[in-house]
Amino acid sequence: MPDCNVTVIGAGPYGLSAAAYLQAAGIQTRIFGEPMAFWEKRMPAGMFLRSNWGASHIADPHRKLTLDAYRLSTANHMSAPIPVERFVDYGRWYQRRVAPNVEKRNVTRVNADTCGFKVALADGEVFTSRRVIVATGIGAFSWRPAEFDEVPQALASHSSEHRDLGRFKGRRVIVVGGGQSALESAALLHERGAAVEVIVRQTELNWVGLHSWVHHLGLISSLLYSTRDVGPAGISRLVSMPRLFRVLPRKVQDKTAYRAIRPAGSAWLRPRLTEVPITFGRKVVSATATGSQLRLALDDGTDRLVDHALLATGFRVDTSRYEFLPEQLQTKLRTVNGYPILTRGLESSIPGLHFLGKPAAWSLGR
Ligand SMILES: Cc1cc2nc3c(=O)[nH]c(=O)nc-3n(C[C@H](O)[C@H](O)[C@H](O)COP(=O)(O)OP(=O)(O)OC[C@H]3O[C@@H](n4cnc5c(N)ncnc54)[C@H](O)[C@@H]3O)c2cc1C
């Protein structure tokens, strides 16, 4: 018999939600991780969630732990866009209710074992578990363009490496990227006294929520948009029906998914960016450290001398970057473009090993 039935690695929204469903099903579970740590430590202070209210509830089987329930239980008013600090507080409120015994310890190894898996922790404990759920988020997948390979982190860092953008006050910063993270970081840097410029590959920015009136047309709106409100009219409905979505031809799924969550900024950011220069349709082709500064060459032949480059270049799922999964398991894990191929119950090609969150986005399970 294994020591434990299910081990959940991760105490962010997905891991906590898994714990809530397992608890409701009466399944003995151990959950590991720092509750809401990624949101608290690796997103900039002062940020707002891009996802709207309906898409930001952490799911629970009895619908009792929604954002609305959290808001009711606290005296402070809160509405969308949701400040990240409030979302962290919501996550911890949720955690205290479903997983008060969350173990703030790091999982360092998951090995195959006759009764499932052998799980090793950083403090030396080793135990066996019938199933393991990986819900460690996107932190391991931050993506840095190759042009910055030789540049030290002090001169070019990924956007997820900063909590306090105020440290760039009085400095010249280039933000690379054209999605929410790039645009919101640029707004926050500008507001905190940095001289900021955004370099965007696209020739124009995409915005979400520019025409809020389309959500107030009664039946027509509810036919076109789901309450999650991810993606434009029609696509919003389609991506909210995973059973239908996943039977579509792969090419249609990929195209639709990209259209739903392509790089874009929230409309409420626009007025905060009016004084921020944005260079469109350009790519950084080389980055060279010159003393305490960084020289960036763009593909139009111009260059920039800056104090720092903030790479808001997103995340690329790649299961080979899970340090706790040894070679022996990695070779058995079937993947597509770095994403694990999942079946029913979000189970991977390794029986008993499940993945939640962004890594599950390619196959959505079957
Ligand atoms: C700037 C930014 C803004 C975003 N805005 C939104 C938004 O508005 N709405 C939205 O839905 N999503 C947003 N996202 C995406 C969102 O952050 C992730 O999709 C989300 O964090 C996923 O939650 P999670 O539970 O999968 O992982 P996380 O919240 O990242 O939690 C990971 C957990 O795993 C634990 N962990 C990791 N490794 C180990 C280990 N080896 N052992 C034990 N524990 C471990 C951590 O301690 C943590 O508890 C944003 C992301 C960024 C970067």
Side-chain angles (χ1 to χ4, degrees), residues 9-337:
I9 313 177
Y14 283 101
L16 293 171
S17 188
Y21 279 85
L22 288 162
Q23 189 192 65
I27 296 169
Q28 183 232 355
T29 306
R30 284 180 79 174
I31 171 167
F32 295 91
E34 196 68 45
M36 302 303 286
F38 185 75
W39 300 79
E40 185 179 40
K41 297 180 182 157
R42 297 187 56 185
M43 294 191 193
M47 184 197 107
F48 291 90
L49 266 63
R50 181 180 123 172
S51 55
N52 73 3
W53 191 267
S56 304
H57 304 291
I58 304 176
D60 76 283
H62 308 298
R63 307 275 186 279
K64 285 190 175 158
L65 302 175
T66 58
L67 273 168
D68 302 277
Y70 162 74
R71 181 168 57 183
L72 267 179
S73 79
T74 60
N76 296 336
H77 175 73
M78 176 173 79
S79 61
I82 304 163
V84 69
E85 291 77 10
R86 295 303 302 277
F87 190 68
V88 169
D89 194 54
Y90 165 52
R92 299 224 169 106
W93 172 89
Y94 183 106
Q95 174 255 314
R96 287 193 294 278
R97 279 150 185 82
V98 303
N101 300 329
V102 64
E103 298 178 58
K104 295 176 189 165
R105 302 153 82 189
N106 238 27
V107 171
T108 50
R109 242 333 169 238
V110 175
N111 274 307
D113 185 79
T114 44
C115 55
F117 300 93
K118 194 176 266 178
V119 180
L121 305 181
D123 56 17
E125 186 189 336
V126 178
F127 65 94
T128 54
S129 181
R130 194 185 304 278
R131 290 180 182 274
V132 168
I133 297 177
V134 177
T136 50
I138 54 177
F141 306 135
S142 56
W143 187 73
R144 215 177 137 97
E147 290 76 20
F148 292 87
D149 278 355
E150 305 301 319
V151 179
Q153 196 266 354
L155 290 176
S157 54
H158 191 267
S159 55
S160 65
E161 290 169 39
H162 299 279
R163 171 77 189 140
D164 174 21
L165 291 174
R167 60 174 279 225
F168 293 108
K169 182 176 175 161
R171 299 176 72 197
R172 188 160 156 61
V173 182
I174 285 277
V175 175
V176 180
Q180 176 78 2
S181 179
L183 300 175
E184 192 164 17
S185 296
L188 288 165
L189 283 163
H190 171 70
E191 288 155 6
R192 281 152 182 67
V196 59
E197 177 185 353
V198 184
I199 307 284
V200 191
R201 264 184 317 188
Q202 308 96 285
T203 49
E204 57 180 8
L205 295 174
N206 302 310
W207 296 101
V208 285
L210 274 186
H211 309 291
S212 57
W213 56 269
V214 293
H215 293 282
H216 303 286
L217 301 176
L219 183 63
I220 297 176
S221 300
S222 47
L223 286 173
L224 296 175
Y225 296 95
S226 83
T227 50
R228 271 77 179 163
D229 192 16
V230 176
I235 286 181
S236 167
R237 270 265 152 239
L238 188 58
V239 297
S240 72
M241 295 182 279
R243 286 203 178 89
L244 170 66
F245 183 79
R246 65 192 173 205
V247 297
L248 298 173
R250 185 75 240 175
K251 268 192 175 160
V252 180
Q253 282 189 44
D254 289 346
K255 236 177 141 176
T256 315
Y258 177 78
R259 184 63 189 84
I261 52 167
R262 67 181 178 179
S266 298
W268 46 259
L269 269 175
R270 291 226 306 185
R272 292 170 59 191
L273 288 165
T274 48
E275 290 172 23
V276 174
I278 301 180
T279 301
F280 291 99
R282 290 290 156 232
K283 199 177 166 308
V284 175
V285 289
S286 75
T288 321
T290 53
S292 62
Q293 289 189 306
L294 182 65
R295 187 172 297 281
L296 300 176
L298 306 193
D299 58 356
D300 60 357
T302 62
D303 63 13
R304 310 282 192 277
L305 187 64
V306 294
D307 298 309
H308 198 85
L310 190 73
L311 309 173
T313 41
F315 299 82
R316 293 191 178 175
V317 173
D318 177 1
T319 53
S320 69
R321 288 170 79 171
Y322 286 121
E323 287 179 0
F324 51 80
L325 288 186
E327 184 74 23
Q328 174 218 13
L329 287 189
Q330 293 277 3
T331 51
K332 290 189 188 143
L333 192 60
R334 287 187 56 224
T335 60
V336 171
N337 301 331

Side-chain angles (χ1 to χ4, degrees), residues 332-355:
K332 290 189 188 143
L333 192 60
R334 287 187 56 224
T335 60
V336 171
N337 301 331
Y339 285 80
I341 298 177
L342 307 176
T343 57
R344 200 162 165 265
L346 302 175
E347 189 169 24
S348 68
S349 53
I350 299 169
L353 185 66
H354 304 249
F355 290 84

